[in-house]
């Protein structure tokens, strides 16, 4: 799938920041995403859900003791999407 085919899903400022966060850290929890994006949960989860549906991130539930932790990790497809987006933006701003 090309960047052009999914651009309508990722070309929102908050989603670009989320994509960069995932690319940089590889795996984050919900609190890290909320702190970085400064969004309320409803808006945040709509972005996470869109990325999950596109295969850009995967959600993993971890059990530690009695607590369940959720981790969000970038997929190989997510890495390709981020790198394609970054290269496209660099090329656009070069000219």
């Amino acid at each position: 799938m090309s960047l052009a085919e999914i651009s309508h899903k990722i070309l929102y400022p908050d989603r670009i920041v989320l994509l960069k966060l995932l690319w940089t850290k590889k795996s984050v929890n919900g609190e890290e995403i909320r702190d970085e994006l400064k969004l309320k949960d409803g808006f945040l989860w709509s972005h996470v859900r869109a990325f999950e549906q596109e295969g850009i991130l995967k959600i993993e539930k971890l059990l530690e003791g009695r607590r369940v932790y959720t981790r969000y990790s970038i997929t190989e497809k997510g890495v390709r999407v981020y790198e394609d987006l970054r290269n496209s933006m660099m090329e656009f701003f070069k000219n």
Side-chain angles (χ1 to χ4, degrees):
M1 183 173 289
S2 72
L3 180 60
E5 292 173 316
I6 63 167
S7 63
H8 67 284
K9 291 276 190 170
I10 63 170
L11 292 180
Y12 295 90
D14 292 328
R15 289 185 183 174
I16 292 170
V17 172
L18 174 56
L19 187 58
K20 183 178 181 196
L21 178 67
L22 290 166
W23 184 82
T24 302
K25 294 193 172 190
K26 307 301 181 224
S27 179
V28 294
N29 63 38
E31 188 176 322
E32 290 173 279
I33 297 172
R34 275 193 305 273
D35 289 348
E36 184 71 27
L37 273 66
K38 311 256 188 292
L39 291 175
K40 294 192 188 290
D41 285 346
F43 291 110
L44 172 64
W45 304 132
S46 69
H47 298 317
V48 166
R49 194 172 345 170
F51 276 8
E52 182 185 28
Q53 289 171 349
E54 289 299 324
I56 292 170
L57 69 74
K58 67 178 179 177
I59 299 173
E60 184 178 21
K61 301 283 186 182
L62 306 168
L63 182 62
E64 288 185 22
R66 293 182 153 184
R67 294 200 57 185
V68 175
Y69 294 93
T70 306
R71 298 292 299 173
Y72 305 92
S73 303
I74 194 165
T75 63
E76 288 181 27
K77 179 182 178 181
V79 169
R80 287 191 310 272
V81 166
Y82 175 79
E83 290 172 351
D84 288 349
L85 177 62
R86 183 185 61 190
N87 292 338
S88 295
M89 292 177 79
M90 288 172 64
E91 186 64 31
F92 175 79
F93 287 111
K94 245 194 241 182
N95 299 323

